[in-house]
Amino acid sequence: MTAALRFDPIRLPPECEQLRKEVRAFLAEEIAAGTFDPHKPQREDSDNPEFSKRVGERGWLGMTWPKKYGGHERSFLERYVVTEEMRVANAPVRRFFVADRQSGPVLLKYAPEHIKMDILPRICRGEVCFSIGMSEPNSGSDLFAAKTKATKTDGGWLINGSKIWTTSAHMADYMIAIFRTSPPTKENRRHGLTQFLVNMKKPGITVNPIAQITGQYEFNEVVFTDHFVPDDHMLGEIDSAWKQATSELAYERSGPERFLETYYVLTELVRAVGPKPDTRSAEGIGRLVAQLHTMRRMSVSVAGMLQAGKEPVVEASIVKDIGTIWEQQLPHRVRELAAFVDDTASNHATLDEMLGFAIKTAPKLTIQGGTTEVLRGIIARGLGLR
């Protein structure tokens, strides 16, 4: 084994439980005001700029970042609580989520000071949206096969090529992307990739939405045609983005969003079954809750590692692998259990509607954020198995 694999048992401290009450009260107010409907995961209003700003005003964006950049210097465990409550409530987090989860931390590590001072406070205020430029046509989750080129020119770089499956690119202000700046070597196919901050509002970028079977437009193809990126928008070391991307993915793959995306069908099933479930329903729900609790403990453990300054790449990959398979299979399991629920249950129509949407959205879950096959390759390498 080449890596010490461990999930330390971590309990959320008292300040997290107090914060949880505050977040729940805030979300209850937003629901009462009609900002969003927690029973409508398929809503089209998931981009809600005003909601994002109100979350920022509460101090719940950039929670772990230095106050110098608009952050609040709170713990990763406190941020975990906010993320968990937002996801369980189906809150409209799309505008700020990627920026808060991983793009901000990348800028904190690798961006020049003037860019940090400009962009990070705006993220904390909920004013800007980020997308991630990694996957490409014919390469998918194999980031090291990227071909989109960044060619040196006077004062910066010209970008030509395309990215695909790019979540929220149609509404993003910025993208943090990986482009090829030199060819890979025989010794190291990871060599030759560099990370850049891309201003999505500048010329030379075309965003083509990709429709999903649900009718939503969440993913996009992004085409670059002589798009100019200034020198000071290069992040970190030239030709060494693979090191930075590996660190970034620990943030992307370990959070509660990796097993809560279809959670709403479980809560609706519990409501439909009622306080006196039959033996079959009780056993089925019990198994699902036990599995959920296990994944949550693992995810909280990774948050604790991030708080300790570690880079739990393998552990994060395990959480993502197990979590996305579970949330992908959850709607089908709930449908099986719901077949024995009385059709007169008050929320049965809502459960049917949610199941219809969850089953259609489920196929994407084991692809976004890294396919199952790629994740298992990372895990195997971390365990010394390949």
Side-chain angles (χ1 to χ4, degrees):
M1 184 178 294
T2 60
L5 181 65
R6 59 185 300 152
F7 288 92
D8 294 329
I10 294 177
R11 296 286 183 183
L12 295 176
E15 59 266 26
C16 286
E17 297 312 317
Q18 176 58 38
L19 175 60
R20 188 183 301 281
K21 295 178 182 178
E22 295 172 12
V23 178
R24 286 184 177 178
F26 167 77
L27 291 172
E29 292 172 3
E30 293 290 327
I31 292 169
T35 301
F36 67 96
D37 184 345
H39 302 295
K40 298 287 185 181
Q42 64 272 39
R43 64 187 178 273
E44 294 299 328
D45 63 343
S46 55
D47 174 26
N48 192 317
E50 295 308 313
F51 176 80
S52 300
K53 291 176 184 178
R54 288 193 291 274
V55 174
E57 289 170 1
R58 293 285 181 134
W60 296 336
L61 298 178
M63 291 182 70
T64 65
W65 307 351
K67 293 181 180 179
K68 174 182 178 180
Y69 302 117
H72 304 278
E73 299 182 6
R74 299 179 75 165
S75 70
F76 278 90
L77 296 176
E78 288 174 294
R79 183 189 177 278
Y80 186 95
V81 166
V82 174
T83 301
E84 188 172 57
E85 291 299 321
M86 292 280 179
R87 287 290 170 170
V88 167
N90 280 322
V93 302
R94 182 177 297 177
R95 173 160 285 271
F96 61 78
F97 192 75
V98 167
D100 178 59
R101 179 183 65 187
Q102 68 195 94
S103 300
V106 170
L107 295 180
L108 274 170
K109 283 187 177 183
Y110 303 112
E113 187 65 17
H114 69 280
I115 288 179
K116 294 181 189 178
M117 293 299 295
D118 173 31
I119 296 179
L120 292 176
R122 290 193 281 144
I123 294 176
C124 293
R125 294 194 297 266
E127 296 175 353
V128 293
C129 176
F130 270 72
S131 61
I132 306 166
M134 290 190 177
S135 296
E136 294 188 7
N138 303 316
S139 63
S141 294
D142 184 3
L143 304 183
F144 308 131
K147 296 180 180 178
T148 299
K149 288 186 178 181
T151 305
K152 193 69 184 75
T153 189
D154 186 28
W157 303 78
L158 290 179
I159 312 300
N160 285 279
S162 61
K163 296 291 180 179
I164 202 165
W165 312 120
T166 313
T167 303
S168 300
H170 61 292
M171 54 185 268
D173 300 290
Y174 297 97
M175 172 193 289
I176 291 182
I178 293 175
F179 301 128
R180 184 157 295 285
T181 44
S182 64
T185 64
K186 291 183 179 179
E187 296 77 19
N188 184 7
R189 66 185 295 264
R190 302 176 179 184
H191 173 81
L193 297 171
T194 304
Q195 203 166 33
F196 292 86
L197 172 66
V198 175
N199 187 332
M200 294 292 288
K201 306 304 181 184
K202 295 294 185 180
I205 299 177
T206 302
V207 179
N208 302 315
I210 300 174
Q212 296 170 241
I213 193 173
T214 59
Q216 291 182 314
Y217 288 88
E218 179 182 4
F219 301 130
N220 302 271
E221 176 193 44
V222 182
V223 180
F224 299 92
T225 306
D226 285 337
H227 172 72
F228 178 77
V229 177
D231 278 329
D232 63 356
H233 282 47
M234 188 183 83
L235 303 175
E237 300 179 30
I238 191 169
D239 293 338
S240 297
W242 66 273
K243 300 176 185 177
Q244 298 162 210
T246 299
S247 173
E248 178 183 351
L249 291 174
Y251 292 94
E252 180 179 355
R253 290 172 171 167
S254 62
E257 70 275 12
R258 291 309 181 194
F259 51 86
L260 290 177
E261 190 153 343
T262 58
Y263 170 80
Y264 47 84
V265 298
L266 179 56
T267 57
E268 286 301 309
L269 174 65
V270 171
R271 289 179 60 207
V273 167
K276 295 181 179 180
D278 60 27
T279 301
R280 182 181 185 277
S281 297
E283 180 183 357
I285 292 172
R287 287 180 182 274
L288 292 172
V289 172
Q291 293 160 3
L292 177 64
H293 181 70
T294 301
M295 290 182 293
R296 183 176 182 271
R297 291 295 300 272
M298 294 169 70
S299 185
V300 170
S301 180
V302 174
M305 296 180 210
L306 293 172
Q307 177 65 29
K310 301 177 182 178
E311 294 185 356
V313 175
V314 176
E315 290 87 349
S317 296
I318 292 173
V319 172
K320 200 276 181 186
D321 182 26
I322 295 174
T324 52
I325 289 175
W326 184 83
E327 67 180 359
Q328 187 177 70
Q329 295 175 346
L330 178 62
H332 301 281
R333 181 58 180 146
V334 168
R335 183 174 63 175
E336 293 171 358
L337 293 171
F340 294 89
V341 174
D342 185 353
D343 288 348
T344 62
S346 60
N347 71 319
H348 202 288
T350 301
L351 175 59
D352 287 344
E353 182 181 1
M354 286 186 161
L355 275 173
F357 179 79
I359 287 170
K360 286 187 288 187
T361 201
K364 72 168 186 170
L365 300 177
T366 51
I367 299 174
Q368 62 187 26
T371 63
T372 298
E373 292 79 8
V374 167
L375 289 170
R376 292 179 180 179
I378 293 171
I379 296 166
R381 193 178 304 111
L383 296 177
L385 302 176
R386 59 177 289 187

